[in-house]
Structures are given as structure tokens and as C-alpha cells.
Amino acid sequence: MTIVKKIIIIGAGASGVYLSILLKQKLEYQCEIIVLEQNASPLKKLLATGNGRCNLSNKDMSVDYFSTDQKDYVQDIIDQFDMLKQMNELGLYCVYQGNLLYPKSEQALSVKQVMMNCANELGVSFFYNQEVISIEQSKRYLVHTTHQTYQADYVIFAMGSEAGKLSGVNNSRYDILKKLKLDVVKSTPSLVQMTTLPVIKEWKGVRVKGTFSLLENNQCIHKEKGELLFTDYGVSGIAVMQLSAFYQENHQYELSIDFFDDQDVKKLHEYVELRMNKGYNHFYDGLLHNKISTYFARRNLTSTLEIVKLFKDFRLQVTGIRSYETAQVMKGGLSLLEVNHDLQIEKYPHLYAVGEILNVAGLCGGYNLHFAFASAYRVAQAIEREFHAKNK
């Protein structure tokens, strides 16, 4: 007689829901799957991904786009997962737009509907408003929530991070790990807005395209070509989000803005010289957004070199990054030194971790969702192998 094993997944985010589907598909009647979620509904963060369009993956999938403490683990996990193929098997039709993979519908809602329909049809049990507060190891694992205690043979941490408050506002997910004497790397916001000095309030709401560089001691730490949005606290936009991933506490940074990244210094110098020789009364009009032109005009610059520097290397002091409440992800989490290649926690048999609860944080561009799904796939394969080995 086959003994049914109980598997509890903590967290109904992308990695947790996908893992529940894979385990039910692979093990069918051999396991009972319970997903505990502290929110009132599943996949809240996924719905906000890619401005609701849900960028699932990227053709340029390299560990170089991730911050982690075990790059070889992460590279192997992301390499072994084919997002396009796996989503197609779920019934989600996806297409590449350049390097970025999206559902054909360009709706994160489609991804949620396909995943939840599949999980429900397979018989996965979801329990909501169940905030897990601790795990206790006995003959079986005891999972204590704010409402009751569950017993399990396997437990998988898939509770994400506090980024964006969309996984729930309680930070106890890290406390659960610490109570188990596990090493947790301090969590800090990533893919988040920056605060600056000065704050040019008259530029609030202005978007500019260009190349933006994070500098420390005049050395470029990282640069991004794209779009920046000026705000009443500093700067935002995809390019800024990417730069924030390279921000470290207790470092002094500047943001360099190249408004004319399509022109090298020499050509721009010639153009500015020509424009000055024509004697325009309103020199900056027609070059930049009106609010930026007005601001620059007040400087009364007369030197071509000064004007070119203003256009190619406009500096703002970076005073910090915003909090987890507006971040897309968090750097830090459970150290990968605590897990093996199958993401099983070394100190605790049948205890696994997937997704953003791990110390793995990618840049914008589908990297974080790819890892969330890929890590779930890795754990599903490991548990399936163990079940089959025991049943031989």
C-alpha cells in the first residue's frame, strides 16, 4: 500500500504555486499538497510584474544578472529550465518580444488564471490568511500558523520577500529561518527608486531617455541606457531600478545623466558651437524638455565646454534608495550556503527553499520570475527522484 505523504508549501507566489502543480503532476496520488498563504489571494506580486504584462524570462539568461552567494548553483538552475517549453505545457502561450518573454495576451492575469486553474484541477489545497510563524521539527514537521498547526512530511519555503508589500507586510519570514539557526543574509531593497540632491521639483513627472551611470569617486559602477523619471524625491524609471541593484549602504554615489547619448562629445561640441554662433535668444529651447530647458537657461552658461558637460554629464548626488515598500525585489535572504544543489536545506531533511526567500536577486528583464519558476522545477525534480527511489 502506498503511503500518502503530506507536502506543505509556504507561500502562494509564482514559485509556490508552480511547485504545487509540478508535484501533483509528477506524484499524483502519492502526495497531498497544501499551500499556506498569508494573503487573502494567491499570486499578488505576479499580477504586478512588468506593469501587469508579466515579463517571464529573457533570452540572455546569465548568472551575471543576479546577486547571490552561490553563482554556480544559480547558473545551473536557470540553465536547466526552459520557460517557453514549460509554460506551453501548462497551456500558456508565450512569445518573445526581442529578448523578453511575455504571455501572448500580455496580461499577468492570464498567467494567474492558467496556473490556478491547473492547480485546482489537480487537487492542490490552498488555505489563505494563514501566516506561518514557526516550523518545528518532530517525527514530522509541525508548521505553526496564527490560526492552527499543520503536520507535514515535506516543507518548502516559498514565501518570497517583503518587497512591494505584495507578499504580505509581516517580516517574520526571516525570523522563521533564524529560529531554525539558518544563515540569513541581511535583506535590502533592490530594483527601487533613488533619492537625490538636489531634488529638482519643477522636473517632477518629466521623463527623459538617455544613458545613466552610477558613479563612485568618479568611477562608473554601472550604466544603463533607457528612460528616467524625475520625481519629488529624486528619480525613478527602469534605468534607475537597474542601477539601484548596484547600490550599497555606506557608499557615496553620484548619478550621471547623459541627455545626448546619441552624440559623442566632439560632435555635440561642434553642434553647440554652431548653435551658439547663430545667436539664438532661447538657446535651450528645442533641445530638451521645456522644464529642463528653462532650468538650464537660468545658469547663464556661455562656454561651449560647460554646456556640453551639462548635456553629457549632468550630476545628481544619490542620497539613498527608497524602502522595501516600493521595491520590486529584495537582495539577501536565506544563504545558498545552507542548501545543496537541489535546494534542500542541509541541516533539515525534506525542508527546501525556492524563489525570492533565497539570497538570489536578479535585474529587471524577467530574471527574477525565471529563477522563481526554475527553482521550483529543481525542487520538484528532487522530490520526485526521492519518491521513486523509496518506492523501488
Side-chain angles (χ1 to χ4, degrees):
M1 184 178 72
T2 301
I3 298 175
V4 177
K5 297 289 186 180
K6 183 178 285 188
I7 301 175
I8 288 182
I9 299 170
I10 304 172
S15 57
V17 175
Y18 185 54
L19 178 57
S20 75
I21 293 168
L22 292 175
L23 290 173
K24 264 300 185 182
Q25 287 176 334
K26 293 173 182 293
L27 304 176
E28 301 179 284
Y29 58 85
Q30 298 177 66
C31 68
E32 176 188 359
I33 307 290
I34 292 176
V35 181
L36 303 178
E37 169 57 45
Q38 69 174 356
N39 286 307
S41 60
L43 298 168
K44 288 186 69 174
K45 190 179 288 188
L46 181 137
L47 287 176
T49 303
N51 292 320
R53 295 172 62 211
C54 201
N55 178 195
L56 289 162
S57 187
N58 196 304
K59 284 183 180 177
D60 184 15
M61 186 57 60
S62 166
V63 74
D64 292 337
Y65 299 108
F66 291 86
S67 168
T68 182
D69 50 3
Q70 285 288 324
K71 291 208 166 190
D72 58 334
Y73 279 27
V74 175
Q75 187 70 68
D76 186 53
I77 289 167
I78 59 179
D79 283 349
Q80 298 302 315
F81 185 71
D82 186 334
M83 180 71 82
L84 185 63
K85 176 184 176 183
Q86 296 302 322
M87 290 301 100
N88 187 56
E89 290 189 5
L90 281 185
L92 182 72
Y93 187 75
C94 298
V95 294
Y96 278 102
Q97 297 180 14
N99 277 351
L100 307 182
L101 183 68
Y102 290 95
K104 174 68 173 174
S105 65
E106 294 194 36
Q107 284 188 301
L109 180 60
S110 297
V111 185
K112 176 182 177 178
Q113 289 173 332
V114 167
M115 291 179 69
M116 292 308 298
N117 287 343
C118 189
N120 289 327
E121 286 170 6
L122 289 166
V124 177
S125 299
F126 290 87
F127 295 94
Y128 300 106
N129 299 308
Q130 293 285 331
E131 182 188 341
V132 175
I133 54 177
S134 66
I135 307 289
E136 183 182 347
Q137 188 181 28
S138 184
K139 289 183 179 179
R140 304 172 82 192
Y141 285 106
L142 302 178
V143 181
H144 303 289
T145 76
T146 47
H147 297 292
Q148 65 187 89
T149 295
Y150 298 83
Q151 293 188 33
D153 300 291
Y154 291 75
V155 176
I156 300 95
F157 294 121
M159 55 275 213
S161 75
E162 69 268 32
K165 295 171 63 174
L166 294 174
S167 295
V169 297
N170 196 308
N171 297 343
S172 66
R173 69 200 75 206
Y174 299 120
D175 293 336
I176 297 169
L177 302 175
K178 291 173 183 176
K179 288 175 184 176
L180 292 170
K181 308 298 184 186
L182 297 173
D183 180 23
V184 177
V185 178
K186 181 183 177 183
S187 65
T188 57
S190 187
L191 308 187
V192 68
Q193 306 88 347
M194 292 180 174
T195 57
T196 65
L197 282 176
V199 174
I200 308 174
K201 293 195 174 181
E202 63 194 88
W203 290 5
K204 179 183 177 182
V206 174
R207 294 180 182 272
V208 295
K209 287 184 169 61
T211 295
F212 313 98
S213 303
L214 187 67
L215 308 178
E216 183 175 21
N217 297 323
N218 286 315
Q219 299 297 310
C220 181
I221 305 301
H222 188 75
K223 68 170 55 177
E224 284 287 331
K225 182 179 177 67
E227 186 177 80
L228 176 148
L229 170 67
F230 292 102
T231 69
D232 57 2
Y233 54 79
V235 288
S236 183
I238 294 295
V240 171
M241 299 284 193
Q242 299 283 51
L243 291 177
S244 74
F246 299 88
Y247 178 92
Q248 296 182 58
E249 291 182 335
N250 303 316
H251 286 243
Q252 301 297 317
Y253 297 107
E254 289 182 294
L255 177 68
S256 170
I257 300 173
D258 183 351
F259 292 99
F260 285 87
D261 60 346
D262 58 337
Q263 297 278 349
D264 62 29
V265 171
K266 182 181 178 182
K267 287 184 179 178
L268 187 59
H269 189 281
E270 292 171 354
Y271 179 75
V272 169
E273 192 74 42
L274 181 66
R275 194 175 177 90
M276 290 182 75
N277 290 337
K278 289 186 176 181
Y280 287 121
N281 289 328
H282 302 284
F283 176 83
Y284 296 95
D285 287 355
L287 288 174
L288 295 162
H289 188 284
N290 179 62
K291 290 182 178 179
I292 299 176
S293 296
T294 301
Y295 180 86
F296 283 173
R298 291 202 296 267
R299 295 196 170 197
N300 295 316
L301 299 179
T302 57
S303 162
T304 302
L305 288 174
E306 288 180 312
I307 293 171
V308 169
K309 182 169 176 56
L310 195 67
F311 288 165
K312 295 289 290 182
D313 186 21
F314 181 73
R315 299 279 183 99
L316 295 171
Q317 180 187 347
V318 178
T319 57
I321 54 176
R322 301 196 83 197
S323 76
Y324 74 93
E325 295 176 317
T326 60
Q328 291 186 21
V329 298
M330 300 292 287
K331 289 193 291 186
L334 178 64
S335 171
L336 269 69
L337 297 173
E338 294 281 14
V339 301
N340 63 21
H341 277 78
D342 289 327
L343 300 179
Q344 181 174 212
I345 296 171
E346 296 275 17
K347 297 173 186 173
Y348 298 94
H350 305 158
L351 198 61
Y352 294 82
V354 294
E356 202 183 331
I357 194 65
L358 291 163
N359 181 27
V360 181
L363 296 180
C364 297
Y367 297 105
N368 290 294
L369 267 183
H370 185 101
F371 180 75
F373 283 91
S375 59
Y377 186 78
R378 173 60 61 93
V379 169
Q381 288 182 310
I383 293 176
E384 180 188 21
R385 282 197 305 272
E386 186 170 328
F387 268 61
H388 288 166
K390 287 181 178 179
N391 291 332
K392 280 185 178 179

